[in-house]
Amino acid sequence: MALLPIITAPDPRLKQLCAPVEAVDAEIRQLMDDMLETMYNAPGIGLAAPQVGVLKNVIVVDLADENEEKTPLRMANPELLEVSDDDASYEEGCLSLPEHYGDVVRPAKIKVRFLDHENEIRELDAEGLLATCIQHEMDHLDGILFVDHLTALKRNMILRKLLKAKKADKPLASYATV
Ligand code: K1U
Ligand code: ZN
């Protein structure tokens, strides 16, 4: 397995549409495992392939605490089958926007279909932080960041600060970034 550098905003690679994978083969399985290792190391609770420079529809999620047994979810081509009418608001963070947070409102419950690490089609019902995290990671696959759900004022303030830090070559994260 390998630790992959995480791309930080602003970066055009975080604004691209990702492509579906044809099948979860050995290469995609390796990508999923490297993404999980990178996510655990950061640490984070989710990661999407474009955050490590791979423009493919692949995400990983694990909400387990560090002293709990790991519960990794590896998903390729995730698609929302159902979203609830009721919403939930969470304060979101993002490994590509280190040190910035914002309240985002999303559907509280979802049903998602995806290909797992064995190329099997799975469906999962999620609510709470798991539903929020899956939607946050799926947004990345469409080039959408959590700041795109905030007001233009808040979004621009965060992106300006990140650009300034990048120009000053000032690392904001303890993990490897580009
Ligand atoms: O960059 C990412 O997409 C990962 C992001 C996922 C996320 C967090 C909160 C709400 C929605 C989606 C993170 O993991 S940020 C770090 C974080 O939330 C965390 C870090 C350590 C322990 C617990 C949480
Ligand atoms: Zn993110």
Side-chain angles (χ1 to χ4, degrees), residues 36 39-40 44-47 60-65 68-73 130 133:
L36 277 172
M39 180 195 80
Y40 290 130
I45 55 173
L47 195 67
V60 294
V61 173
D62 192 343
L63 263 56
D65 279 344
E68 283 176 346
E69 199 172 318
K70 290 182 169 51
T71 53
L73 279 171
L130 180 59
C133 188

PDB file of all heavy atoms in Angstrom, residues 36 39-40 44-47 60-65 68-73 130 133:
ATOM      1  N   LEU A  36      -7.498   4.365   1.191  1.00  0.00           N
ATOM      2  CA  LEU A  36      -7.833   4.103   2.599  1.00  0.00           C
ATOM      3  C   LEU A  36      -6.649   4.395   3.504  1.00  0.00           C
ATOM      4  O   LEU A  36      -6.784   5.047   4.551  1.00  0.00           O
ATOM      5  CB  LEU A  36      -8.285   2.645   2.775  1.00  0.00           C
ATOM      6  CG  LEU A  36      -9.747   2.338   2.465  1.00  0.00           C
ATOM      7  CD1 LEU A  36     -10.003   0.839   2.485  1.00  0.00           C
ATOM      8  CD2 LEU A  36     -10.704   3.045   3.443  1.00  0.00           C
ATOM      9  N   MET A  39      -6.265   8.072   3.798  1.00  0.00           N
ATOM     10  CA  MET A  39      -7.335   8.644   4.625  1.00  0.00           C
ATOM     11  C   MET A  39      -7.085   8.379   6.113  1.00  0.00           C
ATOM     12  O   MET A  39      -7.196   9.281   6.943  1.00  0.00           O
ATOM     13  CB  MET A  39      -8.669   8.031   4.204  1.00  0.00           C
ATOM     14  CG  MET A  39      -9.871   8.533   4.977  1.00  0.00           C
ATOM     15  SD  MET A  39     -11.283   7.446   4.716  1.00  0.00           S
ATOM     16  CE  MET A  39     -10.890   6.130   5.860  1.00  0.00           C
ATOM     17  N   TYR A  40      -6.712   7.121   6.463  1.00  0.00           N
ATOM     18  CA  TYR A  40      -6.450   6.795   7.881  1.00  0.00           C
ATOM     19  C   TYR A  40      -5.268   7.610   8.399  1.00  0.00           C
ATOM     20  O   TYR A  40      -5.247   8.052   9.543  1.00  0.00           O
ATOM     21  CB  TYR A  40      -6.147   5.303   8.055  1.00  0.00           C
ATOM     22  CG  TYR A  40      -7.333   4.378   7.843  1.00  0.00           C
ATOM     23  CD1 TYR A  40      -7.236   3.277   6.990  1.00  0.00           C
ATOM     24  CD2 TYR A  40      -8.543   4.588   8.506  1.00  0.00           C
ATOM     25  CE1 TYR A  40      -8.306   2.420   6.795  1.00  0.00           C
ATOM     26  CE2 TYR A  40      -9.620   3.732   8.310  1.00  0.00           C
ATOM     27  CZ  TYR A  40      -9.507   2.656   7.454  1.00  0.00           C
ATOM     28  OH  TYR A  40     -10.565   1.806   7.254  1.00  0.00           O
ATOM     29  N   GLY A  44      -8.786  11.146   8.275  1.00  0.00           N
ATOM     30  CA  GLY A  44     -10.071  11.626   7.791  1.00  0.00           C
ATOM     31  C   GLY A  44     -11.073  10.503   7.859  1.00  0.00           C
ATOM     32  O   GLY A  44     -10.727   9.367   8.220  1.00  0.00           O
ATOM     33  N   ILE A  45     -12.317  10.819   7.491  1.00  0.00           N
ATOM     34  CA  ILE A  45     -13.377   9.801   7.514  1.00  0.00           C
ATOM     35  C   ILE A  45     -13.834   9.456   6.101  1.00  0.00           C
ATOM     36  O   ILE A  45     -14.703   8.603   5.917  1.00  0.00           O
ATOM     37  CB  ILE A  45     -14.586  10.246   8.374  1.00  0.00           C
ATOM     38  CG1 ILE A  45     -15.143  11.601   7.909  1.00  0.00           C
ATOM     39  CG2 ILE A  45     -14.178  10.316   9.845  1.00  0.00           C
ATOM     40  CD1 ILE A  45     -16.446  11.999   8.610  1.00  0.00           C
ATOM     41  N   GLY A  46     -13.255  10.124   5.099  1.00  0.00           N
ATOM     42  CA  GLY A  46     -13.591   9.834   3.703  1.00  0.00           C
ATOM     43  C   GLY A  46     -12.517  10.364   2.793  1.00  0.00           C
ATOM     44  O   GLY A  46     -11.665  11.181   3.209  1.00  0.00           O
ATOM     45  N   LEU A  47     -12.521   9.887   1.556  1.00  0.00           N
ATOM     46  CA  LEU A  47     -11.583  10.403   0.551  1.00  0.00           C
ATOM     47  C   LEU A  47     -12.130  10.024  -0.824  1.00  0.00           C
ATOM     48  O   LEU A  47     -12.685   8.929  -1.000  1.00  0.00           O
ATOM     49  CB  LEU A  47     -10.185   9.800   0.743  1.00  0.00           C
ATOM     50  CG  LEU A  47      -9.030  10.492   0.010  1.00  0.00           C
ATOM     51  CD1 LEU A  47      -8.776  11.897   0.570  1.00  0.00           C
ATOM     52  CD2 LEU A  47      -7.740   9.676   0.122  1.00  0.00           C
ATOM     53  N   VAL A  60     -13.737   6.252  -0.786  1.00  0.00           N
ATOM     54  CA  VAL A  60     -13.628   5.378   0.394  1.00  0.00           C
ATOM     55  C   VAL A  60     -14.137   6.163   1.598  1.00  0.00           C
ATOM     56  O   VAL A  60     -14.018   7.391   1.645  1.00  0.00           O
ATOM     57  CB  VAL A  60     -12.177   4.890   0.647  1.00  0.00           C
ATOM     58  CG1 VAL A  60     -11.713   3.977  -0.473  1.00  0.00           C
ATOM     59  CG2 VAL A  60     -11.215   6.050   0.836  1.00  0.00           C
ATOM     60  N   VAL A  61     -14.695   5.434   2.566  1.00  0.00           N
ATOM     61  CA  VAL A  61     -15.276   6.038   3.771  1.00  0.00           C
ATOM     62  C   VAL A  61     -15.051   5.079   4.943  1.00  0.00           C
ATOM     63  O   VAL A  61     -15.148   3.855   4.765  1.00  0.00           O
ATOM     64  CB  VAL A  61     -16.807   6.265   3.586  1.00  0.00           C
ATOM     65  CG1 VAL A  61     -17.462   6.717   4.877  1.00  0.00           C
ATOM     66  CG2 VAL A  61     -17.100   7.269   2.469  1.00  0.00           C
ATOM     67  N   ASP A  62     -14.729   5.608   6.103  1.00  0.00           N
ATOM     68  CA  ASP A  62     -14.722   4.805   7.335  1.00  0.00           C
ATOM     69  C   ASP A  62     -14.931   5.745   8.520  1.00  0.00           C
ATOM     70  O   ASP A  62     -14.092   6.618   8.775  1.00  0.00           O
ATOM     71  CB  ASP A  62     -13.401   4.028   7.500  1.00  0.00           C
ATOM     72  CG  ASP A  62     -13.508   2.986   8.603  1.00  0.00           C
ATOM     73  OD1 ASP A  62     -14.443   3.076   9.422  1.00  0.00           O
ATOM     74  OD2 ASP A  62     -12.656   2.085   8.657  1.00  0.00           O
ATOM     75  N   LEU A  63     -16.036   5.551   9.220  1.00  0.00           N
ATOM     76  CA  LEU A  63     -16.364   6.429  10.347  1.00  0.00           C
ATOM     77  C   LEU A  63     -15.882   5.879  11.693  1.00  0.00           C
ATOM     78  O   LEU A  63     -16.117   6.510  12.728  1.00  0.00           O
ATOM     79  CB  LEU A  63     -17.890   6.650  10.412  1.00  0.00           C
ATOM     80  CG  LEU A  63     -18.422   7.930   9.764  1.00  0.00           C
ATOM     81  CD1 LEU A  63     -18.025   8.049   8.312  1.00  0.00           C
ATOM     82  CD2 LEU A  63     -19.932   8.004   9.878  1.00  0.00           C
ATOM     83  N   ALA A  64     -15.213   4.715  11.678  1.00  0.00           N
ATOM     84  CA  ALA A  64     -14.793   4.114  12.954  1.00  0.00           C
ATOM     85  C   ALA A  64     -13.745   4.992  13.643  1.00  0.00           C
ATOM     86  O   ALA A  64     -12.874   5.560  12.980  1.00  0.00           O
ATOM     87  CB  ALA A  64     -14.220   2.719  12.702  1.00  0.00           C
ATOM     88  N   ASP A  65     -13.841   5.080  14.981  1.00  0.00           N
ATOM     89  CA  ASP A  65     -12.801   5.778  15.762  1.00  0.00           C
ATOM     90  C   ASP A  65     -11.496   5.027  15.640  1.00  0.00           C
ATOM     91  O   ASP A  65     -11.494   3.830  15.363  1.00  0.00           O
ATOM     92  CB  ASP A  65     -13.192   5.804  17.250  1.00  0.00           C
ATOM     93  CG  ASP A  65     -14.170   6.914  17.545  1.00  0.00           C
ATOM     94  OD1 ASP A  65     -14.292   7.816  16.703  1.00  0.00           O
ATOM     95  OD2 ASP A  65     -14.817   6.845  18.608  1.00  0.00           O
ATOM     96  N   GLU A  68     -11.384   1.869  17.532  1.00  0.00           N
ATOM     97  CA  GLU A  68     -12.390   0.865  17.177  1.00  0.00           C
ATOM     98  C   GLU A  68     -11.871   0.035  16.008  1.00  0.00           C
ATOM     99  O   GLU A  68     -10.942   0.445  15.307  1.00  0.00           O
ATOM    100  CB  GLU A  68     -13.684   1.543  16.708  1.00  0.00           C
ATOM    101  CG  GLU A  68     -14.547   2.104  17.813  1.00  0.00           C
ATOM    102  CD  GLU A  68     -15.764   2.844  17.250  1.00  0.00           C
ATOM    103  OE1 GLU A  68     -15.800   3.139  16.051  1.00  0.00           O
ATOM    104  OE2 GLU A  68     -16.667   3.120  18.029  1.00  0.00           O
ATOM    105  N   GLU A  69     -12.530  -1.126  15.782  1.00  0.00           N
ATOM    106  CA  GLU A  69     -12.179  -1.927  14.609  1.00  0.00           C
ATOM    107  C   GLU A  69     -12.563  -1.163  13.344  1.00  0.00           C
ATOM    108  O   GLU A  69     -13.618  -0.519  13.306  1.00  0.00           O
ATOM    109  CB  GLU A  69     -12.937  -3.251  14.664  1.00  0.00           C
ATOM    110  CG  GLU A  69     -12.324  -4.308  13.779  1.00  0.00           C
ATOM    111  CD  GLU A  69     -12.986  -5.669  14.005  1.00  0.00           C
ATOM    112  OE1 GLU A  69     -13.239  -5.994  15.193  1.00  0.00           O
ATOM    113  OE2 GLU A  69     -13.239  -6.348  13.011  1.00  0.00           O
ATOM    114  N   LYS A  70     -11.696  -1.239  12.332  1.00  0.00           N
ATOM    115  CA  LYS A  70     -11.957  -0.499  11.096  1.00  0.00           C
ATOM    116  C   LYS A  70     -13.203  -1.035  10.385  1.00  0.00           C
ATOM    117  O   LYS A  70     -13.468  -2.240  10.411  1.00  0.00           O
ATOM    118  CB  LYS A  70     -10.745  -0.606  10.156  1.00  0.00           C
ATOM    119  CG  LYS A  70      -9.539   0.166  10.641  1.00  0.00           C
ATOM    120  CD  LYS A  70      -8.398   0.054   9.634  1.00  0.00           C
ATOM    121  CE  LYS A  70      -7.253   0.985   9.898  1.00  0.00           C
ATOM    122  NZ  LYS A  70      -6.702   1.010  11.210  1.00  0.00           N
ATOM    123  N   THR A  71     -13.950  -0.119   9.738  1.00  0.00           N
ATOM    124  CA  THR A  71     -15.152  -0.509   8.967  1.00  0.00           C
ATOM    125  C   THR A  71     -15.071   0.167   7.585  1.00  0.00           C
ATOM    126  O   THR A  71     -15.910   1.020   7.256  1.00  0.00           O
ATOM    127  CB  THR A  71     -16.430  -0.072   9.697  1.00  0.00           C
ATOM    128  OG1 THR A  71     -16.334   1.339  10.003  1.00  0.00           O
ATOM    129  CG2 THR A  71     -16.646  -0.840  10.974  1.00  0.00           C
ATOM    130  N   PRO A  72     -14.065  -0.208   6.788  1.00  0.00           N
ATOM    131  CA  PRO A  72     -13.860   0.504   5.515  1.00  0.00           C
ATOM    132  C   PRO A  72     -14.962   0.227   4.503  1.00  0.00           C
ATOM    133  O   PRO A  72     -15.412  -0.910   4.360  1.00  0.00           O
ATOM    134  CB  PRO A  72     -12.516  -0.057   5.012  1.00  0.00           C
ATOM    135  CG  PRO A  72     -12.389  -1.389   5.653  1.00  0.00           C
ATOM    136  CD  PRO A  72     -13.072  -1.280   6.997  1.00  0.00           C
ATOM    137  N   LEU A  73     -15.378   1.287   3.819  1.00  0.00           N
ATOM    138  CA  LEU A  73     -16.291   1.168   2.683  1.00  0.00           C
ATOM    139  C   LEU A  73     -15.524   1.591   1.447  1.00  0.00           C
ATOM    140  O   LEU A  73     -14.961   2.693   1.409  1.00  0.00           O
ATOM    141  CB  LEU A  73     -17.480   2.112   2.860  1.00  0.00           C
ATOM    142  CG  LEU A  73     -18.620   1.660   3.747  1.00  0.00           C
ATOM    143  CD1 LEU A  73     -19.587   2.822   3.980  1.00  0.00           C
ATOM    144  CD2 LEU A  73     -19.355   0.492   3.098  1.00  0.00           C
ATOM    145  N   LEU A 130     -22.733   9.290   8.269  1.00  0.00           N
ATOM    146  CA  LEU A 130     -22.365   8.412   7.142  1.00  0.00           C
ATOM    147  C   LEU A 130     -23.009   8.925   5.843  1.00  0.00           C
ATOM    148  O   LEU A 130     -22.344   8.999   4.797  1.00  0.00           O
ATOM    149  CB  LEU A 130     -22.777   6.967   7.428  1.00  0.00           C
ATOM    150  CG  LEU A 130     -22.455   5.965   6.330  1.00  0.00           C
ATOM    151  CD1 LEU A 130     -20.957   5.917   6.039  1.00  0.00           C
ATOM    152  CD2 LEU A 130     -22.962   4.566   6.697  1.00  0.00           C
ATOM    153  N   CYS A 133     -21.195  12.091   4.798  1.00  0.00           N
ATOM    154  CA  CYS A 133     -19.846  11.838   4.286  1.00  0.00           C
ATOM    155  C   CYS A 133     -19.900  11.243   2.872  1.00  0.00           C
ATOM    156  O   CYS A 133     -19.147  11.657   1.986  1.00  0.00           O
ATOM    157  CB  CYS A 133     -19.097  10.921   5.255  1.00  0.00           C
ATOM    158  SG  CYS A 133     -17.366  10.753   4.826  1.00  0.00           S
TER     159      CYS A 133
END
